[in-house]
Structures are given as C-alpha cells and as structure tokens.
C-alpha cells in the first residue's frame, strides 16, 4: 500500500465511511461523518499511520484530504 | 471600563473597540449571522455606534472580537443571566459567531468557545453557563453538544441548553489537547 492509499484508508477508517467516498476534494463538515469528533479521531489515525506529531496549526489547516496530503508532505511523508 | 484580552488555543479575544465596529457590523448584517440571531434586522452605522456606547458602560456584559493569526475572524460575548456584573454572576450566557467564512467549517471554530468557557469556569468561577439556540439550528446545537451542553428546555422556536464545569471538562479534553499543541 502506498502512502496515498494509506491516507485514504486512514480517512475511511477514522470517519467510518467507505473507501470510495474518500477523494482529494472531501472537506471537513461537508459530510455528516466528518465532524469535530471525527476530526480528532482522524488526527490520531493519521499520526499513528504516518508516525508523525502534527502541530496545532496543521490540525486546524487539515480541512480536506488534499490539504492533509500537502501537510504530510511537510512532515517528510512522500506521495 | 478597561478590560483585558483573553488568549488560548491559538486565538486572542480582544475587548471590542471603536475601530472594530464596521467589520462587526458587516458580519452582523450577513445572512449567516442574522439567521442565528433573535433579531435579524439590518443594523446601520448609528445603531452600531449606539450599541457600542451602551455595551461600553455595562458591567453585566463583556464583548470581544476574535483574532486568529493576523485576522479578525468573529465575535464573542458574555452576558450575566442575573443582572449582576459579569465578574459576580452565578450563571453566564456566552455567545459566539464566526464571521470569517473560511473558519466556520473548521475545528478552529471551537477555540474561542474554549477560551470563553475556561474564563467562565476557571477565572470567573461561575456554576453554570447557558445558551438559547434556535431549535432549527442543528449545526449550533451539535456544536454546543460537543462542548458538553445539555438541553434543559425546548419549544418550537428555541432550545435552552446549559453546561456545568465538570461536564465541560469531560467533554473537551481531547479537543483542548489538539488545539494546545506546539505552534510554528
């Protein structure tokens, strides 16, 4: 599994949605499943999968799948 | 009356001053904010100025503009429920809106509530905070539910919700940890 697949799987798992619902355009609060509680679970999931510790600004900025990928790149995760 | 700013979770809450008024009025007149308000009327400049002069003299209310990084993003207030000064009230009613639409659907929208509620429970030592939310406003009810608020009364138009300190602490630990991490 490459890192993009891992990221999509992390979203599907944390938000409890089907993998085919995850796309780069998926955005916070645009589906019922991605609310603030799910966002906290998502952060924990992403940190576990990629072995990173996100800072608060990145947690705030992580408002879409595409943005998550962009942020993780700064933590030396390669896509 | 001189009031101090509140800070935490990445945001600053500055006491409202005259230079903030026009931005606040623009937010207040936006459809998004008016839909949440008990009175949805459009506010003109003179009404806004009158409001500012009124709140500046009142002890039973405190009003803040919310700052994130270099931007103002919304407004918040605290009102005493028993007519006493905010600093002596037993129950307070906090109010918040995010005027900057970039941050409405963002976890950052919780930060000003956390600052305000910490201030209420830890500094002002109130027993309870309460809020009156339009019953149709499911987003606001859900948002407040995440902070630990529970429904105490409801009719077709409004839902009254309340929050006590212990419940607030239990409900917000993870959220606070995420918004309190190291910053760039």
């Amino acid at each position: 599994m490459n890192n993009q697949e891992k990221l999509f799987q992390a979203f599907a798992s944390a938000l409890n949605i089907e993998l085919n619902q995850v796309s780069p355009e998926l955005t916070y609060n645009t589906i019922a499943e991605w609310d603030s509680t799910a966002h906290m679970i998502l952060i924990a999931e992403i940190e576990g999968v990629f072995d990173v510790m996100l800072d608060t600004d990145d947690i705030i900025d992580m408002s879409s799948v595409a943005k998550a990928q962009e942020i993780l790149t700064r933590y030396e995760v390669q896509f | 009356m001189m009031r101090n700013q509140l800070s935490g979770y990445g945001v600053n809450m500055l006491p409202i001053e005259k230079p903030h008024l026009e931005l606040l009025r623009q937010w207040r007149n936006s459809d998004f904010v008016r839909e949440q308000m008990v009175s949805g009327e459009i506010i003109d400049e003179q009404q806004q100025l009158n409001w500012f002069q009124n709140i500046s003299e009142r002890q039973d209310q405190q009003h803040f503009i919310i700052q994130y990084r270099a931007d103002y993003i919304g407004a918040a207030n605290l009102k005493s429920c028993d007519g006493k000064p905010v600093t002596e009230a037993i129950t307070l009613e906090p109010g918040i809106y995010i005027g900057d639409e970039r941050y409405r659907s963002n976890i950052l929208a919780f930060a000003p509530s956390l600052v305000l509620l910490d201030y209420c429970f830890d500094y002002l030592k109130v027993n309870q905070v309460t809020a009156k939310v339009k019953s149709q406003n499911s987003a606001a009810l859900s948002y407040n539910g995440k902070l630990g608020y529970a429904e105490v009364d409801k009719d077709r138009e409004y839902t009254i919700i309340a929050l006590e300190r212990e419940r607030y602490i239990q409900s917000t630990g993870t959220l606070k940890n995420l918004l309190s991490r190291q910053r760039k």
Side-chain angles (χ1 to χ4, degrees), chain B residues 85-101:
Chain B
V86 164
T87 51
E88 297 170 23
I90 294 168
T91 303
L92 290 168
E93 181 177 356
I96 281 179
Y97 68 76
I98 302 296
D100 186 330
E101 59 187 340

Side-chain angles (χ1 to χ4, degrees), chain A residues 27-29 35-41 43 47 53-63 74-75, chain B residues 9-10 68-69 103-108 110 142 146 171 174-184:
Chain A
T27 302
Y28 178 81
N29 248 0
D35 64 3
S36 60
T37 303
H39 194 74
M40 292 185 270
I41 296 166
I43 297 299
E47 289 184 334
M53 178 79 156
L54 301 169
D55 73 23
T56 291
D57 285 327
D58 291 327
I59 291 167
I60 290 167
D61 285 342
M62 197 170 283
S63 53
R74 296 204 299 270
Y75 287 78
Chain B
Y9 311 105
Y68 174 60
R69 294 176 177 157
Y103 297 107
R104 273 181 208 148
S105 285
N106 189 296
I107 200 149
L108 178 69
F110 284 94
S142 170
K146 307 287 187 193
S171 302
T174 306
L175 188 57
K176 284 183 171 188
N177 286 339
L178 288 183
L179 292 175
S180 303
R181 287 186 179 178
Q182 180 190 345
R183 308 189 72 80
K184 288 170 192 163

Side-chain angles (χ1 to χ4, degrees), chain B residues 120-139:
Chain B
C120 289
F121 289 122
D122 296 340
Y123 183 79
L124 297 173
K125 308 283 187 194
V126 298
N127 296 328
Q128 188 184 62
V129 297
T130 186
K132 181 178 174 181
V133 181
K134 285 188 174 174
S135 296
Q136 302 291 324
N137 193 345
S138 54

Side-chain angles (χ1 to χ4, degrees), chain B:
Chain B
M1 181 179 145
M2 186 71 181
R3 290 187 174 124
N4 294 327
Q5 77 170 53
L6 309 176
S7 296
Y9 311 105
V11 297
N12 295 315
M13 315 264 281
L14 312 172
I16 288 177
E17 302 287 352
K18 226 171 183 175
H20 303 139
L21 291 184
E22 184 50 29
L23 178 59
L24 289 167
R25 191 173 74 88
Q26 288 172 19
W27 286 338
R28 177 64 178 77
N29 284 341
S30 68
D31 290 343
F32 173 81
V33 174
R34 283 192 302 119
E35 282 166 9
Q36 299 180 53
M37 296 289 171
V38 173
S39 166
E41 69 170 319
I42 298 286
I43 307 296
D44 66 26
E45 287 179 31
Q46 188 58 51
Q47 286 173 302
Q48 183 79 349
L49 189 58
N50 292 345
W51 168 81
F52 176 67
Q53 286 167 345
N54 178 273
I55 62 158
S56 300
E57 293 163 5
R58 296 182 72 148
Q59 307 275 314
D60 63 341
Q61 299 184 8
Q62 294 182 3
H63 293 258
F64 304 92
I65 191 164
I66 303 162
Q67 184 185 41
Y68 174 60
R69 294 176 177 157
D71 297 324
Y72 295 127
I73 64 165
N77 63 71
L78 275 179
K79 293 177 181 173
S80 167
C81 294
D82 43 27
K84 292 180 180 172
V86 164
T87 51
E88 297 170 23
I90 294 168
T91 303
L92 290 168
E93 181 177 356
I96 281 179
Y97 68 76
I98 302 296
D100 186 330
E101 59 187 340
R102 291 175 298 170
Y103 297 107
R104 273 181 208 148
S105 285
N106 189 296
I107 200 149
L108 178 69
F110 284 94
S113 284
L114 295 174
V115 174
L116 211 53
L117 291 168
D118 282 358
Y119 176 58
C120 289
F121 289 122
D122 296 340
Y123 183 79
L124 297 173
K125 308 283 187 194
V126 298
N127 296 328
Q128 188 184 62
V129 297
T130 186
K132 181 178 174 181
V133 181
K134 285 188 174 174
S135 296
Q136 302 291 324
N137 193 345
S138 54
L141 290 168
S142 170
Y143 170 93
N144 285 302
K146 307 287 187 193
L147 295 167
Y149 279 90
E151 182 183 314
V152 292
D153 197 12
K154 182 179 184 177
D155 63 24
R156 278 181 59 189
E157 200 167 4
Y158 293 105
T159 299
I160 308 298
I161 54 176
L163 176 64
E164 286 159 10
R165 187 172 186 275
E166 285 310 310
R167 171 105 178 151
Y168 168 62
I169 291 168
Q170 287 166 13
S171 302
T172 55
T174 306
L175 188 57
K176 284 183 171 188
N177 286 339
L178 288 183
L179 292 175
S180 303
R181 287 186 179 178
Q182 180 190 345
R183 308 189 72 80
K184 288 170 192 163

